[in-house]
Amino acid sequence: MLLVSAPPLWSALGCGGEAPAPLDIDGWSVPRGTKLTPRHYALLAAAMDAIIPGSPGAEGALGAHAPWYLDQLLGAFDVDPPRIFAGGPYSGRHGGLDGFSHFLPLTRVEELRWRTYLEGSHGLPEREWNGPVKGLLDVYIEGLEGLDRAANRSGARFTLRPADERLTLVAAAEPAFRELLYAHAVEGTYGDPVYGGNFEGRGWTAIAYEGDRHPIGYSQAEMLFPERG
Amino acid sequence: MADFDVVIVGAGAGGGVAAHVLTERGYQVALLEKGRNATPRIGRDRLVGSLFGDDEIKHRRHFAWHDPFIEPRTFRAAADRPAAVARVQELGVGVGGGTNQYDGNSPRLQRADFRLRSTFGPIEGTAVVDWPIGYDDLAPYYELAEQLIGVQGQAGSDPFAETRGPYPMPPGFRSKVGELLSAGARALGYHPHPMPVAINSIPYGGRPACQNAGFCNIGCPTNAKGSTAVTAIHSALRTGRLTLLSECCVSALRTEPSGEQIGAVDYLDPTGAPATVRGRQVILALNAIETPRLLLSSSNAAHPDGIGNRSGLLGRNLMFHLVLTAAGIFDEEVRSYRSRVSTHGFSDFTVDDGSPDFVRGGYVELGGFIHPVEEGINYPLLLHRDLMLSGRYRRRIGTVTLIGEDVPVRDNRVDLDPSVRDVYGRAVARVTYARHAHDQAVADRYLPKLAEVARAAGAVEVLQIDEAQREGAPNTRHLLGTTRMGTDPETSVTDSFGRLHDVDNAWIADGGIWPTSSAFNPTLTQQALAWRTADRIAEVLG
């Protein structure tokens, strides 16, 4: 089983010194200081690992740090500007301005939107234009608990189940949560690394994808003969 | 006392072009846009930089893109059914509007598109009419818009198109999938040609040539694509006569007591504080859903059913285009993401093929691409890993997409939802839409023909995709109708220049004024129409 490493941005977050050792929850490695509880993080890791498993030479969701991607989203407002929109125009991986490394300040409406979505409305009138909103952390806790309950009903905790059984349980989860979890697993594995997932581009390497290519782009030969690499 | 000669609401395709034309003529213009400015250096001496990037996460988080979380819409397939919140027609929001993320495909309409009723006859259950203007009225504005936005193409390569002069730029690099699909189309007797597209093939307008790195549909980081932000609005700012008010959401229009003039435009400024701006003339260029929504929600004593709604047609005859796709899966690697979205197109399905059961199809785009996050989410959960590793879509897909006529139907409409609100506390748009039998007949006839092209190109498997299912909420991103133009105030909302019949100083410069939808991508035509409208406004201002 592949284990999640320590948070890749530990030092970047200004938390100098050695990263503290991760916790071990049923064999799942859980970084310290996550927005999710260690148990919920382990459930998340077990679920994402089932959706996008790794294989020799092709890292999956865990190798790409997809659970950490979600945790970074849950804690987006821990930093300023919040980790919502990376800047532009280029990542710097192929030259040009490294705009991705700076997150963009949000507009007033964007901040209201993302705080409402992530934190919930908590009875605040300005966040309840169509009624109360449950925050993403609570949505995940409820959904992950649902996975564990379903697993326990058939004999063992979700985190202790083999991958094929976990995938079956995920597939049978409540549809809205299943779609959300699936989307975040995919985003965290194949999205840009600046958001905390796709660690070191491992998700792209696994599927032989070049990633972003601006500002060098592709030549006429690379367009007409992609089979050459 | 007016603050500006002209106030424009909406900084997209039409609003941007109108701002360019009117500031060039010397008028003081305010351009209000509810979204952010993702190209904040526009208007400076050197146009560099963009906040867009090859970043799927940012796009999925609705950066400069319609966000249904804060601005939901509701949908129903018929007026006697309950409406539910749904994802209906999501487009770019911000300076440049949908032109930031569109594919850039910029074909002109054909003469028949302006004469649908005369050419093809009435269709039962529809409001099919001729336009009050024809191709010749628009031809000079097409040329101006193509020069401003920067369109690449090859004159004379489409045998069904009107005779025209050279494009501002030659066709750009070719893609493998474009070559394969074009060969397939030619083998079936069709006439593929380089797609006219608003993306630089060479440096043009102070912007660089395209680097063919894909991601066009989430915003161009190099500004090689001619969004109105980096072309029309950039040039308007450089005149010194444009006041660009981004992050300013218009909340209401107020008419003078007589109802014959819009006296004030109320909006919320970036801090959320109420503000007002006044213009001698007012242009509404939000889009064919949001413009009628604003006019309906601004009803008053002089206009009890919404501003400009004497005909009762405000919001009606909503059209989306029929978008049909045959997605071919090739055995060989094509990596279609190494390209702009469409490199070629053909017009053969827009004209009568002599068959007794002829129904008009539409313009066909060849190309298509997908990037891994969108790809992954599109795969079934249980098959995800195997499909991602093989790159079934990402590495092997090529698409044949038809933009088909969506006939106007009176009951297809936008009105105000009675209960759902947006983040600003305003009633959201309720969309009622069902496909007419004509359009279903087009889908039934042409989807298999599109699949034939993909197979002739060598695809080993073909998925047939109908973007707007009969009962579903469409997401074709082409918004038309709802404020149709015409000569009779009883059967149309605006005159042939987009001026509201009932309000002397109010004009519409978005796809709402289209009486019929045509069989082509609409943006270039809307830019030409907006130019014509702005010309007329300049005459009125004197």
Side-chain angles (χ1 to χ4, degrees):
Chain A
M1 181 181 295
L2 292 166
L3 297 181
V4 178
S5 69
L9 301 181
W10 182 261
S11 57
L13 291 173
C15 308
E18 291 288 311
L23 300 169
D24 182 305
I25 307 290
D26 290 343
W28 300 93
S29 181
V30 177
R32 306 272 182 168
T34 56
K35 301 299 282 189
L36 289 161
T37 66
R39 177 172 159 270
H40 289 122
Y41 193 98
L43 281 165
L44 176 68
M48 287 185 166
D49 175 65
I51 295 168
I52 309 179
S55 55
E59 301 264 25
L62 288 194
H65 295 186
W68 181 247
Y69 161 80
L70 177 72
D71 213 77
Q72 291 282 285
L73 174 60
L74 292 169
F77 283 93
D78 291 350
V79 293
D80 186 21
R83 282 184 297 260
I84 300 295
F85 300 132
Y90 310 126
S91 67
R93 286 185 283 270
H94 303 287
L97 299 171
D98 176 12
F100 284 21
S101 61
H102 307 285
F103 283 85
L104 300 177
L106 300 184
T107 68
R108 179 187 67 86
V109 175
E110 287 167 350
E111 176 166 351
L112 176 60
R113 183 261 196 243
W114 283 97
R115 283 197 180 278
T116 304
Y117 175 75
L118 294 174
E119 300 167 0
S121 58
H122 296 296
L124 297 170
E126 67 272 23
R127 295 188 184 186
E128 297 198 341
W129 55 91
N130 279 313
V133 177
K134 187 183 296 182
L136 186 64
L137 179 61
D138 290 337
V139 169
Y140 259 92
I141 289 171
E142 190 175 297
L144 294 167
E145 290 289 355
L147 284 178
D148 207 25
R149 275 197 305 275
N152 283 323
R153 277 197 294 272
S154 54
R157 291 198 296 272
F158 184 81
T159 45
L160 295 175
R161 294 298 190 93
D164 59 336
E165 293 183 17
R166 279 182 275 126
L167 184 58
T168 300
L169 287 161
V170 169
E174 188 271 322
F177 177 68
R178 182 184 64 224
E179 287 181 20
L180 187 71
L181 174 63
Y182 186 30
H184 283 143
V186 171
E187 290 176 1
T189 305
Y190 306 115
D192 195 274
V194 72
Y195 296 96
N198 192 9
F199 181 54
E200 296 179 334
R202 293 175 185 177
W204 291 340
T205 301
I207 59 172
Y209 173 67
E210 305 96 309
D212 61 295
R213 286 276 293 196
H214 276 117
I216 59 170
Y218 294 103
S219 68
Q220 178 66 92
E222 288 171 319
M223 293 170 70
L224 286 175
F225 306 104
E227 65 278 8
R228 296 178 186 171
Chain B
M1 182 72 181
D3 307 308
F4 294 91
D5 295 313
V6 183
V7 170
I8 303 174
V9 185
V17 167
H20 165 80
V21 174
L22 289 162
T23 53
E24 286 288 325
R25 300 287 176 82
Y27 298 107
Q28 293 291 329
V29 175
L31 179 57
L32 289 93
E33 167 56 50
K34 70 180 173 186
R36 63 153 71 219
N37 183 1
T39 46
R41 292 179 62 85
I42 53 173
R44 300 187 186 185
D45 287 342
R46 292 186 67 231
L47 176 62
V48 291
S50 168
L51 299 181
F52 290 111
D54 299 346
D55 176 355
E56 287 190 275
I57 301 294
K58 188 160 65 171
H59 183 63
R60 285 183 54 76
R61 294 180 180 179
H62 307 277
F63 178 76
W65 186 250
H66 179 87
D67 187 344
F69 187 81
I70 54 174
E71 294 190 270
R73 290 176 178 146
T74 62
F75 178 80
R76 57 186 181 172
D80 60 357
R81 298 190 191 178
V85 171
R87 300 187 72 158
V88 187
Q89 299 292 9
E90 295 171 8
L91 274 172
V93 172
V95 177
T99 64
N100 284 318
Q101 295 92 350
Y102 79 146
D103 297 345
N105 296 343
S106 300
R108 297 183 182 187
L109 304 192
Q110 296 172 346
R111 286 182 186 277
D113 290 295
F114 300 89
R115 297 282 179 270
L116 199 66
R117 172 97 178 207
S118 302
T119 307
F120 298 103
I123 300 173
E124 187 177 346
T126 74
V128 166
V129 292
D130 289 347
W131 289 35
I133 61 173
Y135 181 87
D136 292 332
D137 295 307
L138 215 49
Y141 296 104
Y142 272 134
E143 189 165 342
L144 290 166
E146 288 167 345
Q147 295 287 340
L148 174 67
I149 302 301
V151 178
Q152 60 167 282
Q154 184 179 341
S157 61
D158 178 0
F160 304 100
E162 291 297 313
T163 303
R164 53 159 300 142
Y167 282 91
M169 286 172 277
F173 282 0
R174 295 167 293 138
S175 69
K176 179 169 182 177
V177 77
E179 295 297 297
L180 289 172
L181 291 170
S182 293
R186 269 193 297 275
L188 295 171
Y190 306 134
H191 300 81
H193 54 264
M195 171 66 76
V197 57
I199 295 175
N200 284 0
S201 59
I202 56 176
Y204 182 89
R207 298 176 289 113
C210 174
Q211 292 158 320
N212 306 293
F215 291 102
C216 314
N217 50 354
I218 61 177
C220 179
T222 69
N223 301 320
K225 180 161 67 180
S227 77
T228 52
V230 299
T231 55
I233 298 169
H234 172 61
S235 68
L237 284 166
R238 286 170 58 81
T239 67
R241 290 185 283 274
L242 179 66
T243 300
L244 177 59
L245 300 169
S246 57
E247 302 169 37
C248 290
C249 182
V250 171
S251 52
L253 308 172
R254 282 187 280 144
T255 62
E256 302 294 352
S258 69
E260 294 172 357
Q261 298 271 326
I262 289 181
V265 176
D266 294 333
Y267 65 98
L268 299 175
D269 75 10
T271 70
T276 296
V277 63
R278 293 175 174 81
R280 293 165 64 195
Q281 304 292 323
V282 176
I283 300 175
L284 305 177
L286 296 90
N287 64 45
I289 289 178
E290 295 301 320
T291 291
R293 177 187 172 210
L294 179 60
L295 289 165
L296 288 165
S297 66
S298 299
S299 60
N300 56 33
H303 297 274
D305 299 318
I307 293 176
N309 196 18
R310 174 168 32 131
S311 65
L313 292 174
L314 177 61
R316 292 187 178 274
N317 296 307
L318 173 65
M319 300 173 289
F320 288 143
H321 268 148
L322 193 67
V323 177
L324 310 170
T325 296
I329 310 295
F330 292 83
D331 261 347
E332 58 188 315
E333 292 227 8
V334 294
R335 298 201 186 213
S336 45
Y337 57 82
R338 295 182 176 186
S339 176
R340 55 199 179 278
V341 178
S342 303
T343 57
H344 294 76
F346 66 82
S347 302
D348 299 70
F349 296 161
T350 64
V351 295
D352 193 338
D353 60 1
S355 61
D357 60 343
F358 171 75
V359 290
R360 192 182 193 213
Y363 189 61
V364 176
E365 308 168 346
L366 304 175
F369 60 55
I370 195 165
H371 293 282
V373 173
E374 185 187 358
E375 176 193 25
I377 291 168
N378 267 289
Y379 289 145
L381 172 70
L382 298 178
L383 302 176
H384 172 93
R385 190 56 170 168
D386 289 344
L387 292 170
M388 284 303 287
L389 291 175
S390 72
R392 175 180 160 85
Y393 291 172
R394 182 182 69 260
R395 290 155 70 167
R396 303 182 188 283
I397 205 168
T399 57
V400 185
T401 296
L402 180 140
I403 308 298
E405 186 91 40
D406 177 5
V407 291
V409 174
R410 182 184 166 88
D411 289 343
N412 287 343
R413 65 182 299 199
V414 174
D415 64 359
L416 303 177
D417 192 277
S419 56
V420 180
R421 295 291 178 268
D422 68 10
V423 69
Y424 307 101
R426 302 168 56 221
V428 305
R430 176 173 62 181
V431 171
T432 305
Y433 179 91
R435 177 178 290 177
H436 186 273
H438 166 274
D439 300 353
Q440 189 59 47
V442 173
D444 294 343
R445 178 179 175 82
Y446 285 100
L447 253 179
K449 286 178 175 285
L450 303 178
E452 282 177 13
V453 173
R455 287 194 193 93
V460 294
E461 184 184 348
V462 180
L463 312 173
Q464 297 185 31
I465 303 164
D466 185 344
E467 299 275 4
Q469 301 292 339
R470 180 182 283 272
E471 299 290 324
N475 200 21
T476 59
R477 296 170 190 153
H478 293 179
L479 311 186
L480 303 163
T482 71
T483 54
R484 59 169 27 191
M485 58 176 163
T487 54
D488 182 354
E490 300 303 319
T491 59
S492 57
V493 179
T494 77
D495 70 12
S496 67
F497 291 95
R499 186 184 208 163
L500 285 178
H501 287 304
D502 299 342
V503 184
D504 291 342
N505 71 337
W507 311 73
I508 293 175
D510 59 39
I513 64 175
W514 292 39
T516 56
S517 67
S518 86
F520 291 88
N521 312 67
T523 302
L524 176 73
T525 299
Q526 188 49 48
Q527 290 165 333
L529 285 165
W531 201 304
R532 183 171 178 271
T533 295
D535 252 6
R536 180 66 173 162
I537 292 172
E539 287 178 22
V540 170
L541 286 168

